[in-house]
């Protein structure tokens, strides 16, 4: 049944099952008791697969391989979600079943083609969902909806029972609100499958990226006039530096040239080949601009395809030395947001813009993870994507989890706080034994004494607040200015802080730099947990200004700066 309400929550679903397909009894599985949805180009036995084209409507008698594995792991399937027709698009407006809205503002696109899967995860309607990713469809919707999107190494998850888009570049992708759950899904669904001609057995990297790592940043970046996205990416780079990264500028031109081949060369013929039999007979029942894209694939010769493949291999050779200078590549997941009205008015160009930093990844055989980074001033999410060579899926997840939890963002659009991070299954211990220490003042990221942490190999775990039982005071005569934190018996405030992981071997040297009246104690966090953190001796607070109403030291310092500037003018 075609939905009439464009931009409504109902448009996220094509088939919401009256009775979920139950998962097997699997009490030891981390997926036991969880719920999921799948994009409607993935087969579920007894439920039509439409690929968002009602005339296509195939009737599968068996589950897709990945669906069967997740059911066997104990998860229950709630239904099938909307998509850009035949997984051809990155925006979520190309479906006769309705336009899927952004989970934060229904005027904006959700991202596609896995639009419905991203939306139902962001809204908390399911615990996780499957999408597919050929040109970015497992990442762009994640970035635009404040959730995690894993684009596995090609062939790691079977595509048997999945309607192909461009089969040699297709991946089944995973959406979740946390990295740890997405990894649980990945490991449950992974494995070679002889029914998939592109499946392969991959030995995944088992060691994490080192505590001090190098991350590539493109030498040219376009945000298509979106200043908020540009500022958000600068902030993201600073956060990755705080986690131990050193930025390295890399040439983006060959990556962009590879990306262009996906739609602007004979490689587009693979999209036509994927649905050739249906399209030749029923092309008039395919919506625009999908019809035009598939139609363009008819015009290329076999020689054209080989020429395009050779050009792609040459670009891969050109890019390969980049990995000798970096451990991971960081890009914006999507460079901007568009409204649904804007997308309808210019559907090809704006769709291409959304894929500016995703289209090359599968073509060059990389793994990737999109993680939330911030909520912009206009309330829209901004995400980043971490990319590394094939087989680095778990190492990317470990770094992605550290980054995600350092943001202090809520889970999707649910408003719920992130749970505590978990060890990434299948990955070794990321670093030497460390102690979590909370800082509230001059040691915060970007503040004058933060270098005392980073030069000792400390990494940022997360940004959060204390429980609402603390007072923050500005200690007089300290250089640089420092606060004193004290637990209040008579009520208090939630004070912004950061939790850093400090190598145990470096803790003593770090504490030796902390002058009285400050000392190490225990601090209660917003979620009720306790960590070591800096507190202040009570006698030092008698003449100290109470600045708790600012909510944190950074905000207090900013208010002082603003006051000084006002006086000077």
């Amino acid at each position: 049944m075609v939905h009439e309400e464009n931009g409504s929550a109902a448009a996220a679903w094509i088939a919401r099952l009256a009775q979920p397909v139950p998962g097997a009894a699997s009490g030891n599985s981390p997926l036991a008791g969880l719920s999921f949805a799948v994009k409607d180009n993935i087969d579920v036995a007894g439920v039509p697969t439409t690929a968002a084209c009602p005339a296509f409507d195939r009737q599968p008698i068996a589950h897709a391989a990945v669906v069967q594995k997740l059911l066997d792991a104990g998860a229950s399937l709630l239904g099938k979600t909307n998509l850009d027709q035949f997984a051809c698009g990155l925006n979520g407006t190309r479906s006769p079943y309705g336009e899927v809205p952004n989970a934060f503002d229904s005027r904006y696109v959700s991202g596609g083609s896995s639009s419905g899967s991203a939306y139902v995860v962001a809204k908390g309607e399911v615990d996780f969902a499957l999408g597919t990713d050929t040109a970015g469809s497992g990442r762009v919707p994640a970035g635009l909806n404040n959730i995690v999107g894993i684009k596995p190494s090609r062939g790691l998850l079977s595509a048997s029972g999945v309607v192909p888009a461009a089969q040699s570049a297709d991946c089944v992708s995973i959406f979740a609100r946390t990295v740890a759950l997405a990894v649980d899904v990945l490991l449950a669904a992974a494995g070679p499958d002889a029914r998939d001609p592109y499946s392969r057995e991959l030995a995944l990297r088992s060691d994490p990226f080192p505590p001090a790592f190098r991350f590539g940043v493109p030498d040219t970046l376009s945000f298509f006039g979106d200043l908020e996205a540009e500022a958000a990416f600068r902030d993201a780079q600073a956060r990755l530096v705080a986690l131990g990264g050193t930025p390295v500028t890399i040439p983006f031109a060959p990556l962009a040239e590879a990306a262009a081949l996906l739609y602007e060369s004979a490689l587009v013929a693979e999209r036509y080949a994927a649905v050739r039999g249906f399209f030749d007979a029923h092309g008039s029942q395919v919506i625009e601009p999908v019809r035009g894209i598939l139609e363009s694939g008819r015009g290329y010769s076999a020689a054209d395809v080989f020429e395009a493949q050779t050009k792609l291999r040459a670009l891969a050779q050109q890019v390969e030395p980049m990995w000798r200078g970096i451990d991971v590549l960081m890009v914006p997941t999507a460079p901007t947001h568009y409204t649904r009205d804007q997308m309808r008015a210019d559907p090809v160009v704006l769709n291409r813009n959304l894929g500016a930093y995703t289209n090359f990844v599968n073509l060059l055989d990389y793994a990737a993870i999109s993680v939330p980074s911030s909520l912009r001033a206009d309330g829209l999410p901004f995400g980043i994507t971490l990319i590394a060579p094939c087989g680095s899926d778990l190492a990317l997840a470990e770094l992605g989890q550290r980054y995600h939890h350092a943001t202090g963002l809520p889970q999707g659009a649910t408003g719920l706080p992130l749970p505590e991070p978990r060890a990434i299954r299948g990955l070794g211990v990321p670093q030497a034994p460390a102690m979590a220490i909370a800082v509230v003042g001059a040691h915060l990221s970007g503040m004058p004494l933060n270098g005392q942490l980073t030069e000792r190999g400390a990494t940022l775990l997360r940004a959060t607040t204390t429980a609402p039982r603390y007072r923050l005071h500005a200690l007089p005569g300290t250089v640089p200015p420092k606060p004193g934190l004290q637990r209040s018996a008579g009520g208090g405030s939630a004070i912004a802080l950061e939790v850093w992981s400090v190598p145990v071997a470096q803790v003593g040297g770090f504490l030796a730099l902390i002058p009285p009246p400050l000392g190490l104690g225990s601090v209660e966090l917003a979620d009720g947990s306790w960590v070591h953190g800096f507190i202040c001796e009570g006698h030092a607070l008698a003449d100290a200004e109470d600045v708790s109403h600012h909510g944190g030291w950074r905000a207090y310092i900013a208010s002082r700066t603003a006051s000084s500037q006002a006086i000077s003018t």
Side-chain angles (χ1 to χ4, degrees):
M1 179 178 178
V2 176
H3 296 297
E4 299 297 331
E5 295 180 280
N6 276 345
S8 72
W13 294 93
I14 287 180
R16 184 76 182 262
L17 303 180
Q19 293 293 329
V21 181
S26 185
N28 293 326
S29 167
L31 303 186
L34 300 184
S35 63
F36 72 108
V38 301
K39 184 176 180 177
D40 194 27
N41 60 344
I42 301 174
D43 285 346
V44 173
V47 181
T49 298
T50 71
C53 181
F56 182 74
D57 193 8
R58 76 183 187 190
Q59 302 285 331
I61 60 173
H63 299 310
V66 286
V67 172
Q68 186 63 62
K69 284 194 170 190
L70 296 174
L71 292 170
D72 291 344
S76 296
L77 177 64
L78 299 193
K80 306 190 76 177
T81 54
N82 203 354
L83 64 149
D84 283 330
Q85 192 171 76
F86 290 114
C88 193
L90 285 172
N91 62 81
T93 69
R94 298 175 175 179
S95 172
Y97 293 92
E99 297 175 356
V100 180
N102 186 278
F104 285 76
D105 187 332
S106 62
R107 297 172 299 171
Y108 286 80
V109 300
S110 57
S113 59
S114 308
S115 53
S117 289
Y119 181 90
V120 298
V121 169
K123 286 293 191 180
E125 296 178 26
V126 294
D127 294 304
F128 64 91
L130 298 183
T132 58
D133 188 310
T134 304
S137 298
R139 290 161 280 157
V140 170
L144 297 186
N145 288 283
N146 194 46
I147 61 173
V148 173
I150 284 183
K151 188 223 73 69
S153 295
R154 286 184 330 196
L156 182 59
L157 271 61
S158 171
S160 174
V162 179
V163 178
Q167 197 167 7
S168 67
D170 290 345
C171 296
V172 174
S173 62
I174 298 163
F175 297 106
R177 291 183 295 277
T178 68
V179 173
L181 176 54
V183 171
D184 288 341
V185 176
L186 176 72
L187 295 178
D193 181 358
R195 295 169 295 179
D196 174 3
Y198 289 96
S199 176
R200 52 183 171 169
E201 190 159 3
L202 288 170
L204 297 182
R205 173 177 174 164
S206 60
D207 60 309
F209 295 116
F213 58 91
R214 302 158 299 171
F215 66 94
V217 178
D219 57 354
T220 57
L221 284 160
S222 175
F223 296 90
F224 304 98
D226 190 335
L227 298 180
E228 288 205 42
E230 187 173 0
F233 189 66
R234 285 197 300 270
D235 291 343
Q237 291 183 68
R239 182 175 293 115
L240 206 56
V241 169
L243 288 171
T246 299
V248 177
T249 301
I250 59 98
F252 190 65
L255 297 176
E257 191 174 352
L261 292 175
L262 191 62
Y263 286 108
E264 300 171 20
S265 78
L267 295 186
V268 78
E270 190 171 17
R271 286 199 176 260
Y272 164 62
V275 291
R276 179 177 182 176
F278 171 81
F279 188 75
D280 286 349
H282 305 283
S284 63
Q285 298 185 64
V286 177
I287 63 173
E288 288 290 2
V290 177
R291 183 193 310 147
I293 294 168
L294 297 178
E295 179 72 40
S296 70
R298 282 174 160 164
Y300 293 100
S301 68
D304 294 331
V305 173
F306 281 112
E307 183 179 348
Q309 289 177 338
T310 300
K311 184 173 183 180
L312 178 61
R313 291 306 311 148
L315 288 168
Q317 297 280 23
Q318 182 180 342
V319 170
E320 194 279 332
M322 171 183 76
W323 295 108
R324 300 171 198 166
I326 62 173
D327 298 292
V328 63
L329 174 62
M330 174 198 187
V331 296
T333 297
T336 187
H337 281 261
Y338 292 117
T339 66
R340 293 185 292 112
D341 288 343
Q342 288 174 316
M343 187 60 66
R344 283 192 299 272
D346 195 2
V348 175
V349 172
L350 300 193
N351 186 87
R352 184 188 304 123
N353 293 351
L354 289 180
Y357 302 107
T358 59
N359 286 354
F360 64 88
V361 176
N362 281 355
L363 294 179
L364 295 174
D365 201 14
Y366 300 154
I369 184 170
S370 174
V371 292
S373 184
S374 60
L375 291 177
R376 303 161 20 148
D378 58 8
L380 294 171
F382 179 81
I384 63 160
T385 293
L386 302 173
I387 303 166
C390 169
S392 59
D393 305 67
L394 299 180
L396 284 171
E398 190 277 330
L399 180 57
Q401 178 174 248
R402 282 198 280 139
Y403 183 94
H404 187 198
H405 284 260
T407 65
L409 289 169
Q411 296 186 52
T414 67
L416 297 172
L418 288 170
E420 287 296 312
R422 292 194 274 121
I424 298 299
R425 295 171 55 215
L427 198 64
V429 177
Q431 55 189 8
M435 176 185 292
I437 296 179
V439 297
V440 298
H443 288 96
L444 292 167
S445 301
M447 300 299 276
L449 298 183
N450 183 248
Q452 293 182 354
L453 285 166
T454 57
E455 68 192 12
R456 286 166 174 77
T459 56
L460 178 62
L461 293 177
R462 58 177 170 147
T464 184
T465 68
T466 66
R469 286 180 276 276
Y470 287 84
R471 310 301 302 179
L472 190 71
H473 296 78
L475 299 176
T478 54
V479 180
K482 300 181 185 69
L485 182 72
Q486 187 177 56
R487 190 175 177 88
S488 174
S493 301
I495 304 300
L497 57 75
E498 293 176 350
V499 181
W500 285 74
S501 176
V502 183
V504 168
Q506 298 291 334
V507 169
F510 175 58
L511 294 181
L513 300 174
I514 309 303
L518 302 177
L520 193 65
S522 295
V523 176
E524 184 183 8
L525 303 183
D527 61 6
S529 63
W530 291 77
V531 296
H532 296 295
F534 289 107
I535 56 176
C536 186
E537 297 177 16
H539 70 84
L541 303 178
D543 298 320
E545 178 187 1
D546 188 330
V547 297
S548 306
H549 60 283
H550 290 283
W553 189 245
R554 199 189 307 275
Y556 166 68
I557 293 296
S559 73
R560 284 183 48 180
T561 302
S563 297
S564 298
Q565 291 173 344
I567 292 171
S568 65
T569 57

